[in-house]
């Protein structure tokens, strides 16, 4: 049987967001290894952090309520933001959750760093009770609320860093067939003390869907640098087309430039046009081809992103090659056969 996150936090199903925050604050302070020296404190502290991360996130909580821990971690609860299967894995660092909840501050130092006015020392505080009941006017995350006059400052509002944007260059073949990209990023992460920083590498997997257009944005929320007093930035990849030796993409259509001689343009010809499948299509022309003229081959372009079973068109755009030199006899022959206008 999977974990009962509600039981871990001492909650009932249907608890409000405020009740979940209050329960986490209480349990995290109770089981924090810096204050609780029992052998199982670290494990309980980690369970409390995982339970809070699931129940405080509406999407994870909805999947958990319906499918339990197995469904949440096994990928049977829905899709992620990139269209793949959503699977939850706890990051394994309860101290990072604790530091983020308290905005990087140490609540033990804030409230218990010296003997209290009533003579009670930090070690004698009962963390199983609502420790913030010993103080007046504290907010949900443990920071003092603003008082109307002469009181404490209001809670520090953490702001998210601006998004970090990278170009993601893809070939036409990758857009045509779909592909998987694995991008390595390096970012700063908070250590368990909530203050010092370490560097960490992470691989972000991007599933390129068939037909995605240039400019498509793929966002990985909060994967940027982690600092004590800010929310990590989103990491955003923006799709950019790589040049192709034969084709140019125009939305879901692809354009192929076919070069024909002046004779072929005037007298007709058969040309062989390559396709994305690696085969070729023959086009026979009988009419006069003017420079820039186009012919359309339906259904030979790029798949539509919203309906990959349908495709755009292959557009053949003609370029007419004019000779650099004509002999006198050739000119006379043209004069006799070509109309004046």
């Amino acid at each position: 049987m999977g974990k009962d996150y509600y039981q871990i936090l001492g909650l009932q199903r249907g608890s409000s967001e405020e009740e979940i925050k209050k329960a986490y604050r209480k349990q995290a302070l109770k089981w924090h290894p810096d204050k609780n020296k029992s052998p199982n404190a670290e494990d309980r502290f980690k369970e409390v952090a995982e339970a809070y991360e699931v129940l405080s996130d509406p999407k994870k909580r909805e999947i958990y309520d319906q499918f339990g821990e197995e469904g949440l971690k096994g990928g049977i609860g829905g899709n992620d933001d990139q269209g793949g299967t959503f699977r939850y894995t706890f990051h394994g660092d309860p101290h990072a959750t604790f530091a983020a909840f308290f905005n990087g501050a140490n609540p033990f130092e804030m409230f218990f760093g010296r003997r209290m006015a009533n003579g009670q020392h930090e070690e004698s505080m009962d963390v199983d009770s609502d420790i913030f009941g010993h103080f007046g006017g504290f907010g949900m995350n443990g920071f003092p609320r603003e008082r109307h006059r002469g009181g404490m400052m209001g809670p520090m509002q953490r702001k998210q860093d601006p998004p970090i944007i990278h170009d993601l260059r893809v070939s036409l073949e990758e857009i045509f067939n779909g592909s998987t990209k694995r991008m390595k990023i390096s970012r700063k992460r908070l250590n368990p003390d909530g203050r010092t920083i370490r560097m960490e590498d992470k691989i972000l997997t991007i599933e390129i869907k068939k037909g995605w257009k240039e400019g498509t944005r793929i966002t990985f929320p909060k994967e940027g640098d982690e600092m004590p007093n800010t929310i990590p930035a989103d990491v955003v990849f923006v799709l950019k087309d790589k040049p192709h030796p034969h084709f140019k993409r125009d939305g879901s259509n692809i354009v192929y430039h076919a070069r024909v001689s002046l004779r072929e343009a005037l007298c007709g010809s058969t040309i062989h046009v390559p396709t994305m499948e690696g085969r070729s299509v023959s086009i026979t022309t009988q009419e006069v081809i003017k420079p820039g003229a186009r012919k359309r081959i339906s259904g030979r372009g790029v798949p539509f992103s919203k309906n990959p079973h349908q495709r755009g068109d292959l557009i053949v755009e003609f370029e007419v090659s004019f000779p650099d030199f004509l002999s006198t006899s050739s000119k006379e022959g043209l004069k006799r056969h070509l109309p004046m206008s």
Side-chain angles (χ1 to χ4, degrees), residues 229-258:
N229 298 317
T230 59
I231 300 172
D234 295 343
V235 175
V236 181
F237 293 92
V238 181
L239 222 64
K240 299 289 184 182
D241 288 341
K242 289 181 180 179
H244 193 275
H246 302 300
F247 304 109
K248 182 176 181 180
R249 184 153 71 128
D250 181 12
S252 295
N253 299 325
I254 53 175
V255 180
Y256 173 75
H257 291 276

PDB file of all heavy atoms in Angstrom, residues 229-258:
ATOM      1  N   ASN A 229      16.434  33.713  -1.503  1.00  0.00           N
ATOM      2  CA  ASN A 229      15.320  34.654  -1.415  1.00  0.00           C
ATOM      3  C   ASN A 229      14.587  34.865  -2.735  1.00  0.00           C
ATOM      4  O   ASN A 229      13.861  35.840  -2.904  1.00  0.00           O
ATOM      5  CB  ASN A 229      15.825  36.002  -0.879  1.00  0.00           C
ATOM      6  CG  ASN A 229      16.392  35.879   0.518  1.00  0.00           C
ATOM      7  OD1 ASN A 229      15.812  35.197   1.371  1.00  0.00           O
ATOM      8  ND2 ASN A 229      17.521  36.515   0.760  1.00  0.00           N
ATOM      9  N   THR A 230      14.807  33.976  -3.707  1.00  0.00           N
ATOM     10  CA  THR A 230      14.116  34.114  -4.987  1.00  0.00           C
ATOM     11  C   THR A 230      13.554  32.760  -5.404  1.00  0.00           C
ATOM     12  O   THR A 230      14.001  31.711  -4.948  1.00  0.00           O
ATOM     13  CB  THR A 230      15.060  34.618  -6.098  1.00  0.00           C
ATOM     14  OG1 THR A 230      16.152  33.692  -6.253  1.00  0.00           O
ATOM     15  CG2 THR A 230      15.599  35.999  -5.778  1.00  0.00           C
ATOM     16  N   ILE A 231      12.565  32.801  -6.280  1.00  0.00           N
ATOM     17  CA  ILE A 231      12.011  31.588  -6.877  1.00  0.00           C
ATOM     18  C   ILE A 231      12.807  31.283  -8.145  1.00  0.00           C
ATOM     19  O   ILE A 231      13.047  32.176  -8.959  1.00  0.00           O
ATOM     20  CB  ILE A 231      10.523  31.784  -7.220  1.00  0.00           C
ATOM     21  CG1 ILE A 231       9.727  32.112  -5.947  1.00  0.00           C
ATOM     22  CG2 ILE A 231       9.949  30.560  -7.914  1.00  0.00           C
ATOM     23  CD1 ILE A 231       8.287  32.517  -6.220  1.00  0.00           C
ATOM     24  N   PRO A 232      13.266  30.037  -8.320  1.00  0.00           N
ATOM     25  CA  PRO A 232      14.066  29.735  -9.510  1.00  0.00           C
ATOM     26  C   PRO A 232      13.340  30.102 -10.801  1.00  0.00           C
ATOM     27  O   PRO A 232      12.121  29.975 -10.911  1.00  0.00           O
ATOM     28  CB  PRO A 232      14.287  28.217  -9.406  1.00  0.00           C
ATOM     29  CG  PRO A 232      14.148  27.909  -7.957  1.00  0.00           C
ATOM     30  CD  PRO A 232      13.118  28.865  -7.439  1.00  0.00           C
ATOM     31  N   ALA A 233      14.120  30.556 -11.766  1.00  0.00           N
ATOM     32  CA  ALA A 233      13.557  30.935 -13.061  1.00  0.00           C
ATOM     33  C   ALA A 233      13.083  29.702 -13.827  1.00  0.00           C
ATOM     34  O   ALA A 233      13.579  28.589 -13.609  1.00  0.00           O
ATOM     35  CB  ALA A 233      14.595  31.692 -13.884  1.00  0.00           C
ATOM     36  N   ASP A 234      12.125  29.919 -14.724  1.00  0.00           N
ATOM     37  CA  ASP A 234      11.763  28.879 -15.681  1.00  0.00           C
ATOM     38  C   ASP A 234      12.846  28.801 -16.754  1.00  0.00           C
ATOM     39  O   ASP A 234      13.428  29.825 -17.148  1.00  0.00           O
ATOM     40  CB  ASP A 234      10.424  29.196 -16.351  1.00  0.00           C
ATOM     41  CG  ASP A 234       9.255  29.179 -15.373  1.00  0.00           C
ATOM     42  OD1 ASP A 234       9.416  28.621 -14.269  1.00  0.00           O
ATOM     43  OD2 ASP A 234       8.201  29.742 -15.719  1.00  0.00           O
ATOM     44  N   VAL A 235      13.133  27.599 -17.223  1.00  0.00           N
ATOM     45  CA  VAL A 235      14.050  27.406 -18.346  1.00  0.00           C
ATOM     46  C   VAL A 235      13.203  27.162 -19.589  1.00  0.00           C
ATOM     47  O   VAL A 235      12.376  26.244 -19.614  1.00  0.00           O
ATOM     48  CB  VAL A 235      15.018  26.233 -18.096  1.00  0.00           C
ATOM     49  CG1 VAL A 235      15.886  25.979 -19.325  1.00  0.00           C
ATOM     50  CG2 VAL A 235      15.892  26.519 -16.876  1.00  0.00           C
ATOM     51  N   VAL A 236      13.395  27.996 -20.615  1.00  0.00           N
ATOM     52  CA  VAL A 236      12.544  27.961 -21.812  1.00  0.00           C
ATOM     53  C   VAL A 236      13.410  27.694 -23.038  1.00  0.00           C
ATOM     54  O   VAL A 236      14.438  28.356 -23.242  1.00  0.00           O
ATOM     55  CB  VAL A 236      11.781  29.294 -21.988  1.00  0.00           C
ATOM     56  CG1 VAL A 236      10.889  29.230 -23.225  1.00  0.00           C
ATOM     57  CG2 VAL A 236      10.957  29.614 -20.751  1.00  0.00           C
ATOM     58  N   PHE A 237      13.001  26.728 -23.838  1.00  0.00           N
ATOM     59  CA  PHE A 237      13.652  26.459 -25.114  1.00  0.00           C
ATOM     60  C   PHE A 237      12.717  26.899 -26.246  1.00  0.00           C
ATOM     61  O   PHE A 237      11.522  26.587 -26.231  1.00  0.00           O
ATOM     62  CB  PHE A 237      13.973  24.974 -25.262  1.00  0.00           C
ATOM     63  CG  PHE A 237      15.021  24.486 -24.304  1.00  0.00           C
ATOM     64  CD1 PHE A 237      14.670  23.955 -23.071  1.00  0.00           C
ATOM     65  CD2 PHE A 237      16.366  24.577 -24.626  1.00  0.00           C
ATOM     66  CE1 PHE A 237      15.624  23.509 -22.177  1.00  0.00           C
ATOM     67  CE2 PHE A 237      17.335  24.134 -23.735  1.00  0.00           C
ATOM     68  CZ  PHE A 237      16.969  23.609 -22.510  1.00  0.00           C
ATOM     69  N   VAL A 238      13.289  27.646 -27.202  1.00  0.00           N
ATOM     70  CA  VAL A 238      12.503  28.158 -28.334  1.00  0.00           C
ATOM     71  C   VAL A 238      12.985  27.470 -29.607  1.00  0.00           C
ATOM     72  O   VAL A 238      14.177  27.507 -29.939  1.00  0.00           O
ATOM     73  CB  VAL A 238      12.649  29.687 -28.466  1.00  0.00           C
ATOM     74  CG1 VAL A 238      11.815  30.198 -29.635  1.00  0.00           C
ATOM     75  CG2 VAL A 238      12.226  30.379 -27.173  1.00  0.00           C
ATOM     76  N   LEU A 239      12.054  26.832 -30.308  1.00  0.00           N
ATOM     77  CA  LEU A 239      12.388  26.060 -31.494  1.00  0.00           C
ATOM     78  C   LEU A 239      12.874  26.969 -32.631  1.00  0.00           C
ATOM     79  O   LEU A 239      12.222  27.959 -32.958  1.00  0.00           O
ATOM     80  CB  LEU A 239      11.152  25.281 -31.955  1.00  0.00           C
ATOM     81  CG  LEU A 239      11.376  23.835 -32.399  1.00  0.00           C
ATOM     82  CD1 LEU A 239      11.860  23.011 -31.228  1.00  0.00           C
ATOM     83  CD2 LEU A 239      10.080  23.250 -32.938  1.00  0.00           C
ATOM     84  N   LYS A 240      14.012  26.609 -33.228  1.00  0.00           N
ATOM     85  CA  LYS A 240      14.552  27.322 -34.388  1.00  0.00           C
ATOM     86  C   LYS A 240      14.901  26.303 -35.467  1.00  0.00           C
ATOM     87  O   LYS A 240      15.474  25.251 -35.187  1.00  0.00           O
ATOM     88  CB  LYS A 240      15.814  28.109 -34.009  1.00  0.00           C
ATOM     89  CG  LYS A 240      15.594  29.183 -32.945  1.00  0.00           C
ATOM     90  CD  LYS A 240      14.802  30.350 -33.483  1.00  0.00           C
ATOM     91  CE  LYS A 240      14.668  31.449 -32.435  1.00  0.00           C
ATOM     92  NZ  LYS A 240      13.853  32.578 -32.907  1.00  0.00           N
ATOM     93  N   ASP A 241      14.553  26.618 -36.722  1.00  0.00           N
ATOM     94  CA  ASP A 241      14.829  25.702 -37.832  1.00  0.00           C
ATOM     95  C   ASP A 241      16.290  25.781 -38.258  1.00  0.00           C
ATOM     96  O   ASP A 241      16.856  26.871 -38.415  1.00  0.00           O
ATOM     97  CB  ASP A 241      13.958  26.048 -39.044  1.00  0.00           C
ATOM     98  CG  ASP A 241      12.506  25.677 -38.824  1.00  0.00           C
ATOM     99  OD1 ASP A 241      12.230  24.856 -37.932  1.00  0.00           O
ATOM    100  OD2 ASP A 241      11.641  26.210 -39.551  1.00  0.00           O
ATOM    101  N   LYS A 242      16.902  24.614 -38.455  1.00  0.00           N
ATOM    102  CA  LYS A 242      18.224  24.564 -39.091  1.00  0.00           C
ATOM    103  C   LYS A 242      18.048  24.684 -40.611  1.00  0.00           C
ATOM    104  O   LYS A 242      17.041  24.217 -41.156  1.00  0.00           O
ATOM    105  CB  LYS A 242      18.905  23.231 -38.783  1.00  0.00           C
ATOM    106  CG  LYS A 242      19.372  23.046 -37.351  1.00  0.00           C
ATOM    107  CD  LYS A 242      20.049  21.682 -37.214  1.00  0.00           C
ATOM    108  CE  LYS A 242      20.529  21.435 -35.800  1.00  0.00           C
ATOM    109  NZ  LYS A 242      21.160  20.092 -35.667  1.00  0.00           N
ATOM    110  N   PRO A 243      19.004  25.298 -41.310  1.00  0.00           N
ATOM    111  CA  PRO A 243      18.917  25.336 -42.777  1.00  0.00           C
ATOM    112  C   PRO A 243      18.951  23.915 -43.350  1.00  0.00           C
ATOM    113  O   PRO A 243      19.623  23.026 -42.811  1.00  0.00           O
ATOM    114  CB  PRO A 243      20.167  26.140 -43.184  1.00  0.00           C
ATOM    115  CG  PRO A 243      20.569  26.886 -41.957  1.00  0.00           C
ATOM    116  CD  PRO A 243      20.179  26.036 -40.792  1.00  0.00           C
ATOM    117  N   HIS A 244      18.222  23.709 -44.442  1.00  0.00           N
ATOM    118  CA  HIS A 244      18.169  22.398 -45.106  1.00  0.00           C
ATOM    119  C   HIS A 244      18.763  22.532 -46.505  1.00  0.00           C
ATOM    120  O   HIS A 244      18.580  23.553 -47.168  1.00  0.00           O
ATOM    121  CB  HIS A 244      16.721  21.908 -45.185  1.00  0.00           C
ATOM    122  CG  HIS A 244      16.597  20.468 -45.547  1.00  0.00           C
ATOM    123  ND1 HIS A 244      16.609  20.021 -46.855  1.00  0.00           N
ATOM    124  CD2 HIS A 244      16.470  19.362 -44.759  1.00  0.00           C
ATOM    125  CE1 HIS A 244      16.484  18.693 -46.856  1.00  0.00           C
ATOM    126  NE2 HIS A 244      16.397  18.276 -45.607  1.00  0.00           N
ATOM    127  N   PRO A 245      19.479  21.519 -46.972  1.00  0.00           N
ATOM    128  CA  PRO A 245      20.128  21.645 -48.291  1.00  0.00           C
ATOM    129  C   PRO A 245      19.156  21.694 -49.466  1.00  0.00           C
ATOM    130  O   PRO A 245      19.515  22.196 -50.537  1.00  0.00           O
ATOM    131  CB  PRO A 245      21.014  20.395 -48.367  1.00  0.00           C
ATOM    132  CG  PRO A 245      20.430  19.432 -47.380  1.00  0.00           C
ATOM    133  CD  PRO A 245      19.861  20.276 -46.289  1.00  0.00           C
ATOM    134  N   HIS A 246      17.926  21.176 -49.300  1.00  0.00           N
ATOM    135  CA  HIS A 246      16.995  21.115 -50.434  1.00  0.00           C
ATOM    136  C   HIS A 246      15.711  21.907 -50.214  1.00  0.00           C
ATOM    137  O   HIS A 246      15.160  22.448 -51.177  1.00  0.00           O
ATOM    138  CB  HIS A 246      16.612  19.659 -50.734  1.00  0.00           C
ATOM    139  CG  HIS A 246      17.772  18.778 -51.029  1.00  0.00           C
ATOM    140  ND1 HIS A 246      18.645  19.002 -52.076  1.00  0.00           N
ATOM    141  CD2 HIS A 246      18.217  17.652 -50.387  1.00  0.00           C
ATOM    142  CE1 HIS A 246      19.575  18.071 -52.085  1.00  0.00           C
ATOM    143  NE2 HIS A 246      19.339  17.241 -51.075  1.00  0.00           N
ATOM    144  N   PHE A 247      15.236  21.959 -48.992  1.00  0.00           N
ATOM    145  CA  PHE A 247      13.923  22.521 -48.732  1.00  0.00           C
ATOM    146  C   PHE A 247      14.006  23.717 -47.792  1.00  0.00           C
ATOM    147  O   PHE A 247      14.957  23.871 -47.032  1.00  0.00           O
ATOM    148  CB  PHE A 247      12.991  21.467 -48.099  1.00  0.00           C
ATOM    149  CG  PHE A 247      12.849  20.215 -48.909  1.00  0.00           C
ATOM    150  CD1 PHE A 247      13.417  19.030 -48.473  1.00  0.00           C
ATOM    151  CD2 PHE A 247      12.145  20.218 -50.099  1.00  0.00           C
ATOM    152  CE1 PHE A 247      13.284  17.863 -49.208  1.00  0.00           C
ATOM    153  CE2 PHE A 247      12.003  19.057 -50.849  1.00  0.00           C
ATOM    154  CZ  PHE A 247      12.581  17.875 -50.398  1.00  0.00           C
ATOM    155  N   LYS A 248      12.946  24.506 -47.859  1.00  0.00           N
ATOM    156  CA  LYS A 248      12.743  25.574 -46.888  1.00  0.00           C
ATOM    157  C   LYS A 248      11.326  25.435 -46.356  1.00  0.00           C
ATOM    158  O   LYS A 248      10.383  25.246 -47.132  1.00  0.00           O
ATOM    159  CB  LYS A 248      12.925  26.954 -47.532  1.00  0.00           C
ATOM    160  CG  LYS A 248      12.777  28.098 -46.536  1.00  0.00           C
ATOM    161  CD  LYS A 248      13.047  29.440 -47.187  1.00  0.00           C
ATOM    162  CE  LYS A 248      12.910  30.569 -46.172  1.00  0.00           C
ATOM    163  NZ  LYS A 248      13.159  31.895 -46.790  1.00  0.00           N
ATOM    164  N   ARG A 249      11.179  25.506 -45.040  1.00  0.00           N
ATOM    165  CA  ARG A 249       9.856  25.321 -44.445  1.00  0.00           C
ATOM    166  C   ARG A 249       9.068  26.618 -44.488  1.00  0.00           C
ATOM    167  O   ARG A 249       9.584  27.689 -44.205  1.00  0.00           O
ATOM    168  CB  ARG A 249       9.991  24.829 -43.007  1.00  0.00           C
ATOM    169  CG  ARG A 249       8.636  24.529 -42.361  1.00  0.00           C
ATOM    170  CD  ARG A 249       8.733  23.492 -41.274  1.00  0.00           C
ATOM    171  NE  ARG A 249       9.402  23.945 -40.085  1.00  0.00           N
ATOM    172  CZ  ARG A 249       8.899  23.835 -38.859  1.00  0.00           C
ATOM    173  NH1 ARG A 249       7.696  23.321 -38.689  1.00  0.00           N
ATOM    174  NH2 ARG A 249       9.576  24.224 -37.815  1.00  0.00           N
ATOM    175  N   ASP A 250       7.791  26.492 -44.809  1.00  0.00           N
ATOM    176  CA  ASP A 250       6.861  27.625 -44.798  1.00  0.00           C
ATOM    177  C   ASP A 250       5.598  27.163 -44.074  1.00  0.00           C
ATOM    178  O   ASP A 250       4.642  26.699 -44.695  1.00  0.00           O
ATOM    179  CB  ASP A 250       6.553  28.075 -46.223  1.00  0.00           C
ATOM    180  CG  ASP A 250       5.612  29.280 -46.272  1.00  0.00           C
ATOM    181  OD1 ASP A 250       5.395  29.897 -45.205  1.00  0.00           O
ATOM    182  OD2 ASP A 250       5.099  29.592 -47.356  1.00  0.00           O
ATOM    183  N   GLY A 251       5.614  27.262 -42.735  1.00  0.00           N
ATOM    184  CA  GLY A 251       4.517  26.713 -41.944  1.00  0.00           C
ATOM    185  C   GLY A 251       4.534  25.203 -42.032  1.00  0.00           C
ATOM    186  O   GLY A 251       5.529  24.557 -41.702  1.00  0.00           O
ATOM    187  N   SER A 252       3.437  24.608 -42.499  1.00  0.00           N
ATOM    188  CA  SER A 252       3.387  23.161 -42.695  1.00  0.00           C
ATOM    189  C   SER A 252       3.732  22.763 -44.125  1.00  0.00           C
ATOM    190  O   SER A 252       3.746  21.567 -44.451  1.00  0.00           O
ATOM    191  CB  SER A 252       1.988  22.625 -42.331  1.00  0.00           C
ATOM    192  OG  SER A 252       1.733  22.804 -40.953  1.00  0.00           O
ATOM    193  N   ASN A 253       4.007  23.745 -44.967  1.00  0.00           N
ATOM    194  CA  ASN A 253       4.449  23.473 -46.335  1.00  0.00           C
ATOM    195  C   ASN A 253       5.974  23.485 -46.395  1.00  0.00           C
ATOM    196  O   ASN A 253       6.644  24.099 -45.566  1.00  0.00           O
ATOM    197  CB  ASN A 253       3.900  24.520 -47.302  1.00  0.00           C
ATOM    198  CG  ASN A 253       2.382  24.543 -47.326  1.00  0.00           C
ATOM    199  OD1 ASN A 253       1.736  23.506 -47.192  1.00  0.00           O
ATOM    200  ND2 ASN A 253       1.810  25.721 -47.496  1.00  0.00           N
ATOM    201  N   ILE A 254       6.521  22.804 -47.397  1.00  0.00           N
ATOM    202  CA  ILE A 254       7.952  22.910 -47.674  1.00  0.00           C
ATOM    203  C   ILE A 254       8.120  23.343 -49.121  1.00  0.00           C
ATOM    204  O   ILE A 254       7.344  22.966 -50.007  1.00  0.00           O
ATOM    205  CB  ILE A 254       8.697  21.588 -47.415  1.00  0.00           C
ATOM    206  CG1 ILE A 254       8.053  20.417 -48.161  1.00  0.00           C
ATOM    207  CG2 ILE A 254       8.759  21.289 -45.927  1.00  0.00           C
ATOM    208  CD1 ILE A 254       8.840  19.117 -48.014  1.00  0.00           C
ATOM    209  N   VAL A 255       9.128  24.166 -49.353  1.00  0.00           N
ATOM    210  CA  VAL A 255       9.359  24.754 -50.676  1.00  0.00           C
ATOM    211  C   VAL A 255      10.645  24.178 -51.252  1.00  0.00           C
ATOM    212  O   VAL A 255      11.693  24.152 -50.580  1.00  0.00           O
ATOM    213  CB  VAL A 255       9.457  26.290 -50.583  1.00  0.00           C
ATOM    214  CG1 VAL A 255       9.709  26.886 -51.971  1.00  0.00           C
ATOM    215  CG2 VAL A 255       8.171  26.871 -49.977  1.00  0.00           C
ATOM    216  N   TYR A 256      10.554  23.697 -52.490  1.00  0.00           N
ATOM    217  CA  TYR A 256      11.723  23.179 -53.206  1.00  0.00           C
ATOM    218  C   TYR A 256      11.958  24.058 -54.424  1.00  0.00           C
ATOM    219  O   TYR A 256      11.041  24.315 -55.213  1.00  0.00           O
ATOM    220  CB  TYR A 256      11.490  21.737 -53.652  1.00  0.00           C
ATOM    221  CG  TYR A 256      12.585  21.189 -54.534  1.00  0.00           C
ATOM    222  CD1 TYR A 256      13.817  20.828 -53.996  1.00  0.00           C
ATOM    223  CD2 TYR A 256      12.388  21.030 -55.908  1.00  0.00           C
ATOM    224  CE1 TYR A 256      14.824  20.322 -54.800  1.00  0.00           C
ATOM    225  CE2 TYR A 256      13.388  20.521 -56.719  1.00  0.00           C
ATOM    226  CZ  TYR A 256      14.605  20.172 -56.165  1.00  0.00           C
ATOM    227  OH  TYR A 256      15.604  19.689 -56.970  1.00  0.00           O
ATOM    228  N   HIS A 257      13.182  24.548 -54.591  1.00  0.00           N
ATOM    229  CA  HIS A 257      13.531  25.393 -55.735  1.00  0.00           C
ATOM    230  C   HIS A 257      14.070  24.515 -56.865  1.00  0.00           C
ATOM    231  O   HIS A 257      15.117  23.875 -56.719  1.00  0.00           O
ATOM    232  CB  HIS A 257      14.559  26.449 -55.333  1.00  0.00           C
ATOM    233  CG  HIS A 257      14.001  27.495 -54.407  1.00  0.00           C
ATOM    234  ND1 HIS A 257      13.311  28.599 -54.853  1.00  0.00           N
ATOM    235  CD2 HIS A 257      14.003  27.582 -53.052  1.00  0.00           C
ATOM    236  CE1 HIS A 257      12.926  29.329 -53.826  1.00  0.00           C
ATOM    237  NE2 HIS A 257      13.331  28.731 -52.715  1.00  0.00           N
ATOM    238  N   ALA A 258      13.339  24.475 -57.983  1.00  0.00           N
ATOM    239  CA  ALA A 258      13.725  23.666 -59.143  1.00  0.00           C
ATOM    240  C   ALA A 258      14.303  24.579 -60.220  1.00  0.00           C
ATOM    241  O   ALA A 258      13.648  25.540 -60.644  1.00  0.00           O
ATOM    242  CB  ALA A 258      12.524  22.899 -59.680  1.00  0.00           C
TER     243      ALA A 258
END
